[in-house]
Amino acid sequence: MENCIFCKIINGDIPSKKLYEDELVYAFYDVNPEAPIHFLVIPKEHIESTNDLNPNNINVVSHIFKVINKLVVDLGVSQKGYRIVNNCGEDGGQTVNHLHFHVLASRNLQWPPG
Ligand code: 5GP
Ligand code: ZN
């Protein structure tokens, strides 16, 4: 999708610190980390938000969770814990309209969020 920051990251037009990539997803560190470990996992297909999931594209979400499961082990935070966040729409605080899951770890995260 033209003018989508995350599509540009996927195709290499915007540099990113890559953690993992396969045919379906791309994982990279957030440029503005909110925790010592803060990365994003995104589908390569441009899906705007969770509102745009449907029976044809929803399988990528289980794949994203599979990838998160592997990355938190690789990064050594699976046992201490971490938080997976998806922001949807204006009230949800979504600023980039390409579906993404934040993974935050390596500090004691508070609840509820602001
Ligand atoms: P949202 O607020 O939409 O849930 O999250 C978007 C996230 O993308 C933010 O945490 C923001 O720091 C991150 N982000 C925005 N632009 C870029 C970028 O160009 N590179 C990287 N690595 N992260 C970005
Ligand atoms: Zn996109």
Side-chain angles (χ1 to χ4, degrees):
M1 163 78 69
E2 236 179 297
N3 292 324
C4 170
I5 298 171
F6 286 177
C7 283
K8 287 181 181 167
I9 284 176
I10 291 163
N11 68 30
D13 288 345
I14 294 176
S16 65
K17 213 170 149 197
K18 178 167 96 172
L19 258 172
Y20 175 87
E21 179 177 17
D22 64 27
E23 67 282 5
L24 292 177
V25 303
Y26 190 84
F28 58 107
Y29 285 103
D30 198 294
V31 76
N32 182 26
E34 298 290 355
I37 292 177
H38 182 178
F39 64 89
L40 304 170
V41 188
I42 65 178
K44 285 193 169 173
E45 181 187 355
H46 180 87
I47 300 169
E48 296 235 340
S49 79
T50 52
N51 286 338
D52 301 287
L53 291 168
N54 62 56
N56 294 319
N57 63 18
I58 201 158
N59 284 349
V60 76
V61 176
S62 70
H63 187 66
I64 284 171
F65 274 72
K66 231 183 281 176
V67 168
I68 290 172
N69 197 291
K70 169 194 154 40
L71 291 176
V72 293
V73 170
D74 291 351
L75 293 167
V77 296
S78 61
Q79 293 310 306
K80 267 210 105 178
Y82 51 90
R83 183 171 296 165
I84 300 170
V85 175
N86 170 255
N87 297 324
C88 180
E90 198 181 333
D91 278 359
Q94 183 176 8
T95 59
V96 177
N97 293 328
H98 181 129
L99 181 67
H100 52 280
F101 291 83
H102 298 255
V103 181
L104 300 122
S106 275
R107 76 170 166 85
N108 192 245
L109 298 159
Q110 303 304 301
W111 190 263

